[in-house]
Structures are given as C-alpha cells and as structure tokens.
Amino acid sequence: MEFSLSEDQLAFVASARAFSEGALAPNAARWDEESIFPKDVLQQAGELGFMGMYTPESAGGLGLGRLDASLIVEELAKGCTATAAFLTIHNMATSMVGKYCTEAVIEQWCPALVMGSKLASYCLTEPGAGSHIGALTAEAHAQPDGGWRLRGEKVWIGNVSWAGVLTVIAHD
C-alpha cells in the first residue's frame, strides 16, 4: 500500500502552507487578543479555493475529498487554529448548498460562498441532543408549493453573526 502524497496533494499542502505562514500566522495572536474576525483573509482563502474545498466542481468548488481537504486544513491550522476551524464549518455548509440545493439556489449563493465573499454556517446543535446527529429531532417536510416546513429547535449556531447563509440539519 502506497502512503505517499500525490503531486496534487503536495501542491495543495504547499499552497496552504504558504498562505498559512504569510496570512494567518503573523496575525493570529493579534486577532485573538483584539477579537478580530478576519473576513478579508477568508476572501483571500477563497481565491485559493479553500472556501469551497469539497463543494462540487459543478457549483464552483474544488470537489476535493476529505483527505485532500484535511491536508489543507492541517496546514492552515498551524497558522491560526480559530480561522481554520471557521473555514471547516463554512466548507461543510457550502458543500451542502452545492450538493443538495436547487440549481437556482446554487447559482444564487455558491459563487460568493466559494470565493469567501459570503460566509456560511450550519444549524445542528439541539437541546437534549447536542450535536449528536443521530439524536436530532428537528424535522423538514416538503410542501406542495416546493418549499419546506421546518419544525424543531436549534441552539448554539457557530459563527452565526458572520454567516450570510445558514443550512439547517433536519430529518424528514
């Protein structure tokens, strides 16, 4: 079994390392001390594809697998763990939009999401269930008009103050 990284993976790592060392690491302590959310740096990450890592290519993302994305996030976290953590949340929400939404919604939101000019988060945590996806009680029911009716309660939505798009995790 071969465990060496491919040329593409090595290129992703090098790009993420350079971005991390140049844009994240020099600022991370100040951002923490001054409670700064680096939206401008997230837009720079979007220009490198890091805001749409596993969003499908058809929705403007890189369409990467989890291993490739993990290699990138590992390098970014070396520079600023908090920013890398937000980036993973944004990527999960953006990939859900790119995979499961209608073409109209994908066209409306994905270009800005994968570029980092708009930010996304997801609504998962529930009272009594925490973030245990198997214990969630929120429900989503398709409506005859093509919309959805949501029923349930969410608490603690990470990065909600910065997100322009929220995806809701529910069962039918």
Side-chain angles (χ1 to χ4, degrees):
M1 184 174 270
E2 178 61 43
F3 290 106
S4 299
L5 297 181
S6 69
E7 286 184 30
D8 285 346
Q9 289 169 327
L10 291 170
F12 290 140
V13 168
S15 178
R17 181 177 297 132
F19 181 73
S20 182
E21 290 173 353
L24 302 180
N27 299 299
R30 182 176 58 83
W31 293 338
D32 284 347
E33 289 169 9
E34 298 176 20
S35 299
I36 294 172
F37 186 77
K39 290 173 75 173
D40 58 326
V41 174
L42 291 170
Q43 286 184 327
Q44 293 172 28
E47 293 170 10
L48 295 170
F50 299 156
M51 299 300 279
M53 290 185 288
Y54 32 87
T55 299
E57 290 181 52
S58 61
L62 295 179
L64 298 179
R66 296 296 177 148
L67 173 59
D68 294 341
S70 295
L71 293 169
I72 292 168
V73 171
E74 180 179 39
E75 291 301 322
L76 298 178
K78 291 176 185 178
C80 181
T81 304
T83 302
F86 170 79
L87 189 134
T88 64
I89 292 168
H90 171 86
N91 268 277
M92 284 188 275
T94 300
S95 71
M96 286 186 258
V97 172
K99 288 178 185 174
Y100 304 115
C101 287
T102 64
E103 279 303 314
V105 171
I106 291 169
E107 288 175 15
Q108 178 182 359
W109 290 103
C110 280
L113 292 173
V114 300
M115 290 306 295
S117 58
K118 296 279 186 196
L119 302 175
S121 190
Y122 56 86
C123 310
L124 171 66
T125 308
E126 293 183 2
S131 295
H132 179 346
I133 201 159
L136 299 181
T137 60
E139 299 174 346
H141 299 283
Q143 300 299 293
D145 65 0
W148 290 85
R149 171 169 256 171
L150 293 172
R151 182 172 175 221
E153 186 177 2
K154 298 295 182 177
V155 296
W156 193 86
I157 300 166
N159 305 303
V160 71
S161 59
W162 303 108
V165 174
L166 296 172
T167 59
V168 179
I169 311 299
H171 65 85
D172 59 359

